[in-house]
Amino acid sequence: VEGMQPAKACEYLEKNIEDFQNATSGGDEEMEPVIKITRHEIVIPRCVVDYVKNRMPLLRNNCKNAEITFTASKSMSKQFAKLIIESEDEVAAFDAQHLLWKEVLTLCNHHDAPRTPKGLFKDLAFYGGELTTEHFNLLCPKLSKSNISQDCCENLRESAGMAAFEDFYRCTIWVQAMEDMGRINSNNRLVTDAFSGKRKIFFGSEPRRIPELWGHIIMRISEIKAGVKFVNMDMDKEHLPFISRVFENRPRGMAASFFDYLKRVTGASVRTDTFNQHCIRVDGTEGIPFGQRAIHLDGLEDSVAIHRKGTAEELIRLQMELMRDSRIRQHRWCFGRDWSLHVTEEPNNEVDGAQEKEAALLSPRPSVTRPSNKRYIANACMEISDITEVLNLDGSIAAHACVILYRYLNQVEENMSQSKQRDILLACLFLASKAQKECKWKRLEIILDATYKIFYAGAKFNPDGNEGAAWEKRILAMEEEILKSLEYDIFWGGIDWITTIATESGQMAEKVVKEVMELTLTGPVFASGPSIWLKLGPEYAFTAMAALLSLDIKHLFSTLSLNPLKLNDAVDLIITSILTNRASRQKGSKISHDIFKGRSDTFAKLKVAIKDICTTQMAATKIVGN
């Protein structure tokens, strides 16, 4: 015996030994036979009470060896009534219970008694057993208070375990709400408080199944008290089949499943719960020899079991994080590639402050593409924006074309002539036009006609001439080359989701969101580089433009799940692009906005203000990197 109070533990053991000896020792005195009374309780809906009372003589006549009586429901809402069945004969009591069940069920069907969403009658249940408040709270923790004007019982569907229990065993669990317990007199005053410290558990099921259901409840409570942890995996239920399946054709010596691996590494027994398919049962005590298990009178667990259980739970959490991250990346892929990982070189941006340096180590900085001709890339993006505007296409098509362009240039390394460079951007625009579903895609000759107006001002494109035919062939050949190089991975998620989320947040007017997005889908922002369009994403470009317009962006950090450090990088890249491409010959109408005419000192002040916002946000949410 070990612990803080060994004397108390010894006293407890001696008392139990004495009680056991007294119970097993036989005496000379003859003991009077104890009459065992079998008792059943049933809760019935208030709407059928009068009909049950009318049929009570017939019920009592059919159950001659059992007594059926109404008893006080002790309910303030009076939404249910309670019947008691008593008999010295256990078989007679069960027969009466079954007969009463069939009779009340018929009346409930005939009079349309309230039902649960599963189709079972709401306030029709048989008594299973009693639980202390402590045990009930172990079973159903953190239940909200019931509104007795609407419901007289606890809403056990709030507990994932009890909801799964009801679904698996096709029954209902009925427990009177504490707010409903009490008796009201004729003056509508509370006479007595009916709460006795015990919670009666009723089951809405056939009477013969009640002992089985009650046994499952008792077993669950005993497991929880013994230290078994039930991990709710409802948020990651799509991953459960993968971590619980048996590996086929596995190498020799490899665990048969992930659960077997956890058993081998931690020593804890891990398996799917019996009735809750979205729950994992972690038992740290299983495997410890019975003679070595400690008995704790104060309800504490063994330290070995706690360590095993905690390690297994942490490994499950890490595995879920890996699978969740893999799932997110697969949603971004079309044919198996994550383009944010194909951008390799890092910029020479300086990091100020110890906190930002630490975050920079945990969160890799954006990087640039392999081709060294940055001037060509910027001009190509500006020209794509101009051609798209001449064709009267949506800016998202230009953004898609720039994404395809960045992806392709990330795959090639050779130097290209100016004519081939233009063929590439036109092929990317042609692909983006055909990939979108907002409007009918433009024919190639129409795109070339608009391109002539940009490349050769005043010249007229002749699609029937030799020059036009040769140009079309080159672009179609380049289109095929791009598709093969990208392995047909031209899918892009678009920007509609950003505008929807930003508008539904309620912090930005729909008109303001559209104006910011229009400025985001312009040449200087497209030309800011693959770091934004391949690695960070359009949500960073949108938020950076909103910040440069001096709008309130604090809510966008949580709404769009942004990293403040990465947003600061996006702002730097966009400002650099605006200042670098200011002398460009882009003729788009959107470029006339004042934001694209700002001076260097103006942008320097904006950078400081935005950096302060990002620093404040990092300190507030304790973000140090993704």
Side-chain angles (χ1 to χ4, degrees), residues 101-115:
W101 163 259
K102 293 174 60 178
E103 188 68 31
V104 176
L105 199 63
T106 303
L107 293 173
C108 288
N109 274 311
H110 184 71
H111 297 284
D112 294 328
R115 295 175 182 263

Side-chain angles (χ1 to χ4, degrees), residues 197-213:
K198 301 278 188 178
R199 305 301 299 271
K200 290 187 176 183
I201 311 298
F202 293 79
F203 296 97
S205 177
E206 295 181 57
R208 60 183 176 84
R209 296 182 60 207
I210 302 303
E212 175 196 355
L213 298 175

